[in-house]
mmCIF file of all heavy atoms in Angstrom:
data_model
loop_
_atom_site.group_PDB
_atom_site.id
_atom_site.type_symbol
_atom_site.label_atom_id
_atom_site.label_comp_id
_atom_site.label_asym_id
_atom_site.label_seq_id
_atom_site.Cartn_x
_atom_site.Cartn_y
_atom_site.Cartn_z
ATOM 1 N N ASP A 260 11.545 46.609 -33.074
ATOM 2 C CA ASP A 260 12.961 46.585 -33.277
ATOM 3 C C ASP A 260 13.377 47.460 -34.582
ATOM 4 O O ASP A 260 14.518 47.500 -34.900
ATOM 5 C CB ASP A 260 13.411 45.213 -33.263
ATOM 6 C CG ASP A 260 12.979 44.461 -34.597
ATOM 7 O OD1 ASP A 260 11.945 44.873 -35.338
ATOM 8 O OD2 ASP A 260 13.525 43.438 -34.994
ATOM 9 N N GLY A 261 12.360 47.848 -35.379
ATOM 10 C CA GLY A 261 12.679 48.595 -36.545
ATOM 11 C C GLY A 261 12.594 47.771 -37.756
ATOM 12 O O GLY A 261 12.810 48.191 -38.964
ATOM 13 N N HIS A 262 12.587 46.476 -37.511
ATOM 14 C CA HIS A 262 12.503 45.517 -38.740
ATOM 15 C C HIS A 262 11.198 44.739 -38.830
ATOM 16 O O HIS A 262 10.790 44.453 -39.948
ATOM 17 C CB HIS A 262 13.655 44.519 -38.696
ATOM 18 C CG HIS A 262 15.089 45.222 -38.456
ATOM 19 N ND1 HIS A 262 15.481 46.028 -39.504
ATOM 20 C CD2 HIS A 262 15.994 45.189 -37.515
ATOM 21 C CE1 HIS A 262 16.798 46.459 -39.091
ATOM 22 N NE2 HIS A 262 16.980 45.957 -37.898
ATOM 23 N N HIS A 263 10.602 44.427 -37.663
ATOM 24 C CA HIS A 263 9.415 43.437 -37.672
ATOM 25 C C HIS A 263 8.068 44.187 -38.142
ATOM 26 O O HIS A 263 7.283 43.536 -38.704
ATOM 27 C CB HIS A 263 9.288 42.867 -36.390
ATOM 28 C CG HIS A 263 10.089 41.682 -36.190
ATOM 29 N ND1 HIS A 263 11.473 41.619 -35.834
ATOM 30 C CD2 HIS A 263 9.808 40.373 -36.249
ATOM 31 C CE1 HIS A 263 12.020 40.526 -35.837
ATOM 32 N NE2 HIS A 263 10.893 39.525 -36.008
ATOM 33 N N LEU A 264 8.037 45.493 -37.843
ATOM 34 C CA LEU A 264 6.713 46.189 -38.169
ATOM 35 C C LEU A 264 7.202 47.676 -38.708
ATOM 36 O O LEU A 264 8.028 48.211 -38.182
ATOM 37 C CB LEU A 264 5.913 46.492 -36.899
ATOM 38 C CG LEU A 264 5.297 45.177 -36.250
ATOM 39 C CD1 LEU A 264 4.601 45.640 -34.937
ATOM 40 C CD2 LEU A 264 4.214 44.465 -37.102
ATOM 41 N N PRO A 265 6.496 48.086 -39.757
ATOM 42 C CA PRO A 265 6.703 49.360 -40.274
ATOM 43 C C PRO A 265 6.238 50.439 -39.338
ATOM 44 O O PRO A 265 5.398 50.173 -38.419
ATOM 45 C CB PRO A 265 5.983 49.388 -41.574
ATOM 46 C CG PRO A 265 4.958 48.350 -41.455
ATOM 47 C CD PRO A 265 5.468 47.335 -40.594
ATOM 48 N N ALA A 266 6.842 51.620 -39.358
ATOM 49 C CA ALA A 266 6.563 52.674 -38.382
ATOM 50 C C ALA A 266 5.010 53.023 -38.486
ATOM 51 O O ALA A 266 4.456 53.152 -37.457
ATOM 52 C CB ALA A 266 7.342 53.953 -38.830
ATOM 53 N N SER A 267 4.407 52.947 -39.650
ATOM 54 C CA SER A 267 2.972 53.382 -39.668
ATOM 55 C C SER A 267 2.058 52.406 -38.942
ATOM 56 O O SER A 267 1.037 52.709 -38.336
ATOM 57 C CB SER A 267 2.503 53.537 -41.203
ATOM 58 O OG SER A 267 2.843 52.229 -41.798
ATOM 59 N N LEU A 268 2.575 51.000 -38.984
ATOM 60 C CA LEU A 268 1.677 50.022 -38.377
ATOM 61 C C LEU A 268 1.860 50.133 -36.893
ATOM 62 O O LEU A 268 0.979 49.907 -36.080
ATOM 63 C CB LEU A 268 2.059 48.642 -38.926
ATOM 64 C CG LEU A 268 1.164 47.432 -38.539
ATOM 65 C CD1 LEU A 268 -0.338 47.767 -38.707
ATOM 66 C CD2 LEU A 268 1.531 46.178 -39.255
ATOM 67 N N VAL A 269 3.053 50.349 -36.354
ATOM 68 C CA VAL A 269 3.353 50.530 -34.911
ATOM 69 C C VAL A 269 2.407 51.742 -34.395
ATOM 70 O O VAL A 269 1.789 51.592 -33.496
ATOM 71 C CB VAL A 269 4.770 50.811 -34.701
ATOM 72 C CG1 VAL A 269 5.018 51.288 -33.167
ATOM 73 C CG2 VAL A 269 5.600 49.525 -34.971
ATOM 74 N N ARG A 270 2.522 52.823 -35.208
ATOM 75 C CA ARG A 270 1.611 53.994 -34.903
ATOM 76 C C ARG A 270 0.165 53.605 -34.764
ATOM 77 O O ARG A 270 -0.485 54.013 -33.887
ATOM 78 C CB ARG A 270 2.013 55.090 -35.858
ATOM 79 C CG ARG A 270 1.469 56.465 -35.425
ATOM 80 C CD ARG A 270 2.099 57.560 -36.178
ATOM 81 N NE ARG A 270 1.907 57.431 -37.651
ATOM 82 C CZ ARG A 270 2.857 57.324 -38.512
ATOM 83 N NH1 ARG A 270 4.238 57.232 -38.161
ATOM 84 N NH2 ARG A 270 2.606 57.158 -39.798
ATOM 85 N N ALA A 271 -0.272 52.883 -35.846
ATOM 86 C CA ALA A 271 -1.668 52.485 -35.843
ATOM 87 C C ALA A 271 -2.105 51.680 -34.797
ATOM 88 O O ALA A 271 -3.125 51.858 -33.952
ATOM 89 C CB ALA A 271 -2.104 51.748 -37.260
#
Side-chain angles (χ1 to χ4, degrees):
D260 64 345
H262 303 298
H263 276 74
L264 295 170
S267 60
L268 191 49
V269 171
R270 194 161 59 241

